[in-house]
Amino acid sequence: MSAHDNYQTPLASRYASSEMRELFSARKRGSTWRQLWLWLAEAEKELGLSISDEAIKQMKAHVLITDDDLEIARKEESKRRHDVMGHVHAFGQVAPAAAGIIHWGATSCYVTDNADLIFLRDGLDLLLPKLATVIHRLSRFALQYKDMPTLGYTHYQPAQCITVGRRASQWVQDLMMDLEDIEAVRAALRFRGAQGTTGTQASFMEIFHNDGAKIDELNEILCKKAGFDRCYSISTQTYTRKVDLRVANALAAFGATVQKIGSDIRHLASQKEMEEPFEKDQIGSSAMAYKRNPMRSERICGLGRHLSNLNKDCSDTFAAQWFERTLDDSAIRRIDIPHLFLTADAILITLDNVASGLVVYPARVHSRLMEELPFMATENMIMKMVSMGASRQEAHEEIRVLSHQASDVVKKEGGRNDLIERVKKTKYFEPIWAEIDGMLDPKNFIGRSPEQVERYCGDGGEVQHALAKYKKYIDVAKAAELTV
């Protein structure tokens, strides 16, 4: 049977990176379990338990699980209805000298949960540099366009001007918050270690003849081998599923952020002010050949929607754990944990591609702005008239009448905004006629936008400070290429 005859998640077959797919592969999981059993045996031997050198040697020789090993484990699981014991027996077949001591004192969660903590850690370590690179690219974009006035929107209605770069810096700041959150959950991760069936270490107390100091030393050795600073102080049969929820919350928040960014880009593309990269042979629509659809940003929004909802599963799973553990966490975590990371990874690849090739159309940005700027300039006209001795209320009423007339031309007749021409023809405003054109310079309406962008994204700013630890990765990172 061909692989094409079996369903494969698009996260793996279309979107995520090879390194993230490998991290959550069956071979990686099986090999990590074997590595954990080897570390446990080495530590137990170091602390005086009777484990032969040959047993250790054979285990070391077969840490990397083979296709044949995986098939043996599958058959054993089918017979025993227990995945961990299936792998114990498969490992024992290729390391017969160790068959009697594999898993000594441990519970299934010694391998399943410690492996998952390793995958959480390594998955976050793959995501963080990619996120930092996206932030870097968007901050460079923000700096490049920090001075270019553009129409701001509130309620999705034209509002006071900002700049193209200032809007991008808003995206950057949201992503910076995600970086902080993901770094925080990464730093807080600990190991489960060897804790026994309900976390009391009772089985290890039996093995080490009630010597608690040796159990502490055992876990110190395991932590060192696995690359963790320490174990969680309290475990039940599992590490608390609150850990999964904390990681999921950080990644789900990132999923919400990218939906916001992708939606902004899609709206700007509709207005023809900005576009994501569009390749020479790319087809926007099978029917409408002229179309340049923002498919990358749409993909980002779709994947972000999936990611931003996965924390609900993790929340429910944590809440549903009765006492020291129930197995209803197992099947759903097999799905959710890989999906969290594959989805976040796929988003970052696509967002990197977009951030590396955003196209701005200055003439269109200016044209769109000038359609609305006359309305915004009226407040300045009123203030100028008052400074020359006019009544503020009279000036306001004159502007109100002219503005509504110009608005009717745009809305009812499909014409252009002719408010400025009307003001220049109205005798009441003759004192400021000579100054009106100067009032229409868009840069008069952008406030401190350039300065804000420079201070935040530029040299010595918050963004550069936060990204300093990722500099080596960013310096060699190439723009992500999409295969679909």
Side-chain angles (χ1 to χ4, degrees), residues 255-303:
T257 297
V258 299
Q259 290 180 75
K260 153 69 175 164
I261 296 171
S263 294
D264 281 357
I265 294 172
R266 290 162 66 190
H267 281 104
L268 292 168
S270 177
Q271 293 163 191
K272 297 179 172 60
E273 295 182 36
M274 181 186 294
E275 282 184 343
E276 63 184 34
F278 196 90
E279 295 164 16
K280 176 178 175 291
D281 296 321
Q282 183 175 330
I283 296 173
S285 168
S286 61
M288 295 167 280
Y290 62 88
K291 294 197 76 178
R292 294 170 68 94
N293 297 333
M295 51 80 67
R296 292 166 172 83
S297 297
E298 291 174 309
R299 178 184 299 175
I300 288 167
C301 289
L303 292 172

Side-chain angles (χ1 to χ4, degrees), residues 212-370:
K214 279 195 173 182
I215 299 173
D216 290 342
E217 191 175 354
L218 173 71
N219 278 305
E220 289 173 5
I221 295 170
L222 291 173
C223 282
K224 184 176 181 180
K225 287 178 178 291
F228 286 84
D229 292 334
R230 52 179 171 159
C231 292
Y232 288 105
S233 299
I234 301 294
S235 288
T236 56
Q237 188 170 94
T238 68
Y239 67 80
T240 173
R241 297 312 182 211
K242 185 81 168 185
V243 174
D244 296 343
L245 177 56
R246 293 173 79 180
V247 173
N249 281 341
L251 295 180
F254 167 67
T257 297
V258 299
Q259 290 180 75
K260 153 69 175 164
I261 296 171
S263 294
D264 281 357
I265 294 172
R266 290 162 66 190
H267 281 104
L268 292 168
S270 177
Q271 293 163 191
K272 297 179 172 60
E273 295 182 36
M274 181 186 294
E275 282 184 343
E276 63 184 34
F278 196 90
E279 295 164 16
K280 176 178 175 291
D281 296 321
Q282 183 175 330
I283 296 173
S285 168
S286 61
M288 295 167 280
Y290 62 88
K291 294 197 76 178
R292 294 170 68 94
N293 297 333
M295 51 80 67
R296 292 166 172 83
S297 297
E298 291 174 309
R299 178 184 299 175
I300 288 167
C301 289
L303 292 172
R305 191 177 310 134
H306 178 57
L307 181 58
S308 66
N309 283 283
L310 284 175
N311 62 334
K312 179 64 165 58
D313 277 357
C314 296
S315 177
D316 290 347
T317 298
F318 166 60
Q321 287 297 284
W322 302 347
F323 301 112
E324 282 64 56
R325 195 268 175 101
T326 50
L327 196 60
D328 55 314
D329 67 341
S330 179
I332 194 167
R333 291 178 70 253
R334 291 175 191 260
I335 299 168
D336 283 343
I337 292 178
H339 271 222
L340 279 166
F341 285 87
L342 290 169
T343 307
D345 186 60
I347 290 169
L348 283 167
I349 292 170
T350 312
L351 187 54
D352 182 275
N353 178 271
V354 171
S356 299
L358 280 173
V359 179
V360 176
Y361 295 104
R364 175 57 182 159
V365 172
H366 180 74
S367 173
R368 179 75 184 98
L369 175 57
M370 295 310 293

Side-chain angles (χ1 to χ4, degrees), residues 157-171:
Q157 299 299 311
Q160 194 171 68
C161 301
I162 59 171
T163 65
V164 172
R166 176 62 168 70
R167 178 173 286 137
S169 71
Q170 296 162 197
W171 304 338

Side-chain angles (χ1 to χ4, degrees), residues 169-188:
S169 71
Q170 296 162 197
W171 304 338
V172 170
Q173 180 171 261
D174 291 339
L175 290 170
M176 283 279 286
M177 292 180 183
D178 295 318
L179 185 71
E180 292 171 5
D181 291 346
I182 296 170
E183 285 178 338
V185 295
R186 166 63 180 90

